């Protein structure tokens, strides 16, 4: 009887992960196979590199605040103190911050205009909301609707491509997909229902949770997107495009961490047992070994996919494939392990790990990139992500 329960539970988790992964695969398939190659051909290597840098800033905002609110709701849900209105207040504050961030990004890259700011700001706000909105399905463990959510983003991107010929705005090509997904949750879900901006008795505790996680996610998001930002500053748009192509398959794998982590935290929120330190250590070490195996597959796929989709720059991309993808794979592994750690320790330890991670990145990655260019970025990302995994192992053994 007990074996049947375990088998049924594993079947449910596997099904949830498949639905989650399929949704993300469809979305990223549209991005990598259709949207980005389309923009690259329309804009050229240098201008496309600038657009990738602007997209990175949007991703940092979405990953930082949208994901933090998402994970915070999972944690506060376990404590029976989550609330729609508290998180709506937080997201309204993020929308205000987005005005300054979007203006800064466009001015820095010399692309500012009123029209560009309108599209870019809306894309940033709706991306943050999209990163948050899929918590609707994690709270309810409804991963079939999670798949529909990401399918709508994909359809919206395809529709957006058609608008480019009329509006000539790369931001609008992505904005339609983000809007469709958010509106799907607004009209069919519950997380936006009720009095929009009323503080509850748990407001202070909920904001403490989301702000701590925002700090953690900010550091992780900056590191994930720092290659584009630093290379743009050091070498310009073409270097951004080359490194993007070199890390393309590894980043697609790392993006699987989003639905995987959602499934993990969703099910762990219902789990009342404990985790042995020795078991956690074995999970971490096994994940690193698996990372090398995954990277072999990433490099093999890159030789086919990148050679076809970005053939005009593939000769420049080829030398960096192994190390560039390995850094992304280790990033994916670290993110998954830290979600497990989040369930069995306090949120503050994730912030401590992230601060040390950020310091390591500043000390190692930036000087190496300035000194060695693309090679410096590729090598340093492997080093700092391995250091992060080591810190997760140490904290797990001290605090679980």
């Amino acid at each position: 009887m007990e074996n049947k329960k375990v088998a049924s539970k594993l079947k449910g988790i596997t099904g949830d992960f498949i639905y989650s992964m399929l949704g993300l695969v469809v979305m990223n398939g549209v991005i990598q196979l259709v949207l980005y190659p389309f923009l690259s051909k329309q804009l050229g290597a240098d201008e496309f590199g600038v657009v990738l840098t602007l997209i990175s800033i949007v991703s940092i905002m979405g990953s930082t605040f949208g994901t933090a609110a998402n994970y915070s709701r999972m944690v506060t849900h376990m404590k029976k103190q989550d609330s729609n209105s508290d998180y709506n207040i937080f997201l309204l504050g993020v929308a205000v911050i987005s005005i300054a961030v979007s203006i800064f990004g466009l001015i820095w890259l010399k692309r500012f205009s009123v029209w560009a700011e309108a599209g870019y700001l809306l894309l940033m706000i709706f991306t943050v909301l999209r990163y948050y909105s899929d918590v609707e399905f994690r709270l309810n463990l409804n991963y079939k609707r999670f798949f529909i959510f990401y399918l709508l983003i994909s359809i919206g991107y395809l529709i957006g491509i058609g608008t480019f010929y009329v509006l000539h705005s790369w931001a609008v090509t992505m904005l339609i997909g983000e809007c469709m997904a958010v509106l799907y949750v607004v009209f069919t879900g519950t997380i936006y229902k009720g009095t929009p901006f009323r503080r509850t008795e748990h407001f202070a505790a909920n904001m403490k949770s989301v702000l701590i996680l925002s700090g953690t996610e900010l550091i992780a998001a900056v590191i994930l997107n720092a290659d584009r930002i630093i290379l743009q500053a050091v070498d310009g748009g073409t270097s951004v495009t080359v490194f993007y192509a070199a890390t393309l398959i590894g980043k697609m794998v790392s993006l699987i961490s989003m639905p995987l982590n959602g499934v993990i935290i969703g099910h762990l929120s219902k789990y009342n047992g404990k985790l042995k330190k020795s078991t956690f250590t074995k999970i971490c070490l096994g994940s690193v070994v698996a990372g090398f195996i995954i990277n072999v597959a990433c490099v093999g796929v890159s030789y086919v996919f990148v050679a076809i989709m970005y053939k005009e720059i593939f000769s420049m991309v080829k030398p960096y494939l192994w190390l560039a993808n390995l850094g992304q794979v280790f990033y994916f592994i670290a993110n998954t392990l830290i979600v497990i750690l989040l369930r069995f320790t306090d949120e503050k330890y994730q912030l401590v790990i992230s601060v040390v991670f950020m310091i390591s990145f500043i000390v190692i990655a930036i000087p190496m990139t300035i000194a060695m260019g693309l090679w410096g970025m590729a090598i340093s990302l492997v080093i700092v992500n391995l250091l992060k995994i080591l810190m997760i192992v140490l904290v797990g053994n001290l605090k679980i």
Side-chain angles (χ1 to χ4, degrees), residues 293-305:
I293 298 170
I294 292 169
N295 197 52
V296 172
C298 287
V299 173
V301 173
S302 294
Y303 266 90
V304 178
F305 180 81

Side-chain angles (χ1 to χ4, degrees), residues 188-217:
T188 67
T190 61
I191 61 170
Y192 293 110
K193 303 297 184 187
T195 307
F197 304 111
R198 180 180 60 84
R199 292 190 182 192
T200 70
E201 60 183 309
H202 302 297
F203 179 79
N206 290 342
M207 290 306 98
K208 178 183 177 183
S209 170
V210 75
L211 289 172
I212 289 173
L213 288 170
S214 291
T216 302
E217 294 298 328

Side-chain angles (χ1 to χ4, degrees), residues 118-171:
Y120 192 48
L121 175 60
L122 286 172
L123 176 62
M124 189 172 289
I125 291 171
F126 273 91
T127 299
V128 172
L129 292 174
R130 189 260 289 178
Y131 273 80
Y132 168 66
S133 294
D134 71 25
V135 76
E136 171 74 31
F137 316 114
R138 292 172 176 174
L139 289 170
N140 301 318
L141 298 181
N142 190 335
Y143 289 96
K144 290 182 181 178
R145 289 182 62 194
F146 187 100
F147 169 75
I148 295 171
F149 177 83
Y150 280 96
L151 181 62
L152 286 171
I153 298 173
S154 307
I155 293 170
Y157 287 166
L158 292 173
I159 294 171
I161 287 172
T163 70
F164 186 87
Y165 293 104
V166 179
L167 302 175
H168 303 289
S169 170
W170 66 267

Side-chain angles (χ1 to χ4, degrees), residues 199-252:
R199 292 190 182 192
T200 70
E201 60 183 309
H202 302 297
F203 179 79
N206 290 342
M207 290 306 98
K208 178 183 177 183
S209 170
V210 75
L211 289 172
I212 289 173
L213 288 170
S214 291
T216 302
E217 294 298 328
L218 173 61
I219 294 165
V222 168
I223 301 302
L224 178 63
N225 293 280
D227 54 352
R228 298 178 189 178
I229 295 171
I230 294 171
L231 287 169
Q232 177 69 46
V234 173
D235 272 346
T238 301
S239 289
V240 175
T241 301
V242 169
F243 200 71
Y244 159 75
T247 60
L248 180 56
I249 303 302
K251 280 197 173 180
M252 288 178 72

Side-chain angles (χ1 to χ4, degrees), residues 43-55:
L43 302 173
D46 190 62
E47 183 65 19
F48 181 56
V50 173
V51 167
L52 286 174
T53 305
L54 288 167
I55 291 172

